[in-house]
Amino acid sequence: MAEVLELKAARGAAGTVRLPGSKSISNRVLLLAALAAGDTEVTGMLDADDTLVMRKALSALGVSFDRETIFGAGGLFPVKKAELFLGNAGTAFRPLAAVLAMCGGEYRLSGAPRMHERPIGDLVDALRGVGARIDYAGKEGYPPLAIHPGKIDVAKKLRVRGDVSSQFLSALLMALPLTGSTARVDVKGELISKPYVEITLNVMRRFGLEVRRDGWKSFEVQRGTYVSPGKISVEGDASSASYFLAAGALGGGPVRVEGVGRASIQGDVRFVEVLERMGAKVSMGSDWIEVRGEGRLKAVDLDLNHIPDAAMTVAVLALFADGPSAIRNIGSWRVKETDRIAAMATELRKFGAEVEEGRDFLKVVPSATLKKNVLVETYDDHRMAMSFSLVCLGGVPVRINDPQCVAKTFPDYFTVYRSITS
């Protein structure tokens, strides 16, 4: 039986939290350091399930590690035959699929049952369009994948849909330098979660590769090879910061997070704009953010496509707002670790809220009196567990099923969370 964590009603939240490293940056740095010429010393790397999955895969592909140092392969991976299990880590599965399609080997990529329900057809179609040989080992359009040696020709038109997951575009951009040619990618439709593509471009630049872009419709990857910067530091995880910043808004504060701030390259730092709209007071430095609550939270109606992960935190805060709230343009929630729109709607209703669930939106009408000691199902989704931990700061005891699912990105989350609540 899964463990159940009981969180008693808390009077408030105050304190300082040093954030773990960003998952999005960590897995990009791991991959590019592995492909680069030279060795890379990485500080601040996230130590959690998703990065462990990436490290194990890279080791199986012939990459060596020594504590914080990654010994780059200087191009294509030396191992030409491997079976890789990648859990439910999209930031590992999608980029590795693209990179291995360029490596001229036989590879099989599989994952957890939920990963086999997360679409990858748009990425596979784009890769096949330039000569990659990829077969579906199960359901068409979904992992697991069998990758074979192919004749890659980037002179052919390379197009990928942008409206399902920005990880497809990021995967292509990171893989294309392995072709040794300048390559262009055109995006079909609206590109969602643009700040995550910005992270990809930023990390590629750190490893010596420049990508020119025409708005968000066309990207040209310059000919060149990845070269280690020698040392690189991973900033704190801005998505994880959202729970503590929200705790400051809901629990009075002040709560300060260290490791992200005005200088962050992560889009989720813009979550503070939502907190300000909800009435909280925000202060920022180059690598810290502090939030204080200023009374009851105000309801919001916002397009949060640019911060889909932190938007989950907003959905829980809506339980304590002074009226109905709406979170819009979050269709990507449907293909995350669980169907987050359906899961969030189900769990919010348990507290007495009225919830309208749409294809890409969620509307929440808070109840005057929230139900206590609700058992929140987490669906093996770390963000469900972390988001709903905030409920106790509204004076409502809550029970979290399978709290260990937070190990995906933040193994010590509940210990750290308790350190700021009283």
Side-chain angles (χ1 to χ4, degrees), residues 79-273:
V79 172
K80 298 302 178 187
K81 187 171 185 178
E83 290 202 14
L84 305 177
F85 176 79
L86 301 168
N88 199 10
T91 56
F93 201 109
R94 277 76 178 262
L96 279 171
V99 165
L100 292 174
M102 311 286 174
C103 283
E106 293 283 349
Y107 306 101
R108 182 184 167 91
L109 277 59
S110 63
R114 174 59 184 170
M115 180 56 81
H116 294 174
E117 296 172 351
R118 298 174 69 179
I120 200 167
D122 295 319
L123 176 59
V124 171
D125 288 347
L127 289 165
R128 284 174 170 173
V130 292
R133 291 179 55 223
I134 304 173
D135 294 326
Y136 296 110
K139 184 180 175 184
E140 188 83 7
Y142 296 83
L145 301 179
I147 300 174
H148 316 287
K151 190 173 181 182
I152 306 298
D153 179 7
V154 292
K156 296 177 180 176
K157 192 165 251 185
L158 186 51
R159 303 182 72 205
V160 66
R161 274 180 64 185
D163 59 353
V164 175
S165 172
S166 66
Q167 287 180 3
F168 300 155
L169 174 61
S170 284
L172 289 170
L173 294 175
M174 287 189 281
L176 284 171
L178 300 178
T179 66
S181 304
T182 294
R184 177 175 145 170
V185 186
D186 293 330
V187 178
K188 294 186 285 184
E190 178 70 18
L191 178 62
I192 63 171
S193 307
K194 296 180 182 73
Y196 287 96
V197 178
E198 290 271 28
I199 293 173
T200 301
L201 301 180
N202 189 294
V203 176
M204 288 177 69
R205 197 175 301 122
R206 293 292 304 275
F207 283 87
L209 261 294
E210 196 64 45
V211 178
R212 295 176 184 164
R213 66 180 177 88
D214 177 10
W216 295 102
K217 285 293 182 187
S218 180
F219 296 78
E220 187 175 271
V221 182
Q222 300 302 296
R223 180 178 179 176
T225 56
Y226 290 119
V227 177
S228 170
K231 292 186 177 181
I232 193 167
S233 179
V234 175
E235 65 184 64
D237 195 295
S239 302
S240 295
S242 73
Y243 313 112
F244 300 103
L245 299 174
L250 191 56
V255 173
R256 176 180 288 217
V257 298
E258 296 177 342
V260 292
R262 204 173 280 118
S264 173
I265 65 170
Q266 296 169 80
D268 272 5
V269 292
R270 292 186 60 191
F271 174 69
V272 299
E273 297 169 9

Side-chain angles (χ1 to χ4, degrees), residues 319 347-354 365-371 374:
L319 286 173
E347 302 310 310
L348 289 172
R349 288 184 186 117
K350 291 180 180 179
F351 292 92
E354 289 180 35
V365 181
S367 171
T369 307
L370 295 179
K371 292 178 182 172
V374 165

Side-chain angles (χ1 to χ4, degrees), residues 243 312 316 333 338-348 376-390 400 405-406 414:
Y243 313 112
M312 294 181 71
V316 174
W333 280 19
T338 187
D339 179 340
R340 287 175 169 170
I341 291 181
M344 187 60 76
T346 298
E347 302 310 310
L348 289 172
V376 173
E377 295 297 334
T378 50
Y379 306 85
D380 197 25
D381 186 341
H382 56 139
R383 301 211 184 281
M384 290 294 290
M386 293 188 278
S387 296
F388 277 97
S389 69
L390 294 166
I400 309 287
C405 66
V406 299
F414 285 105

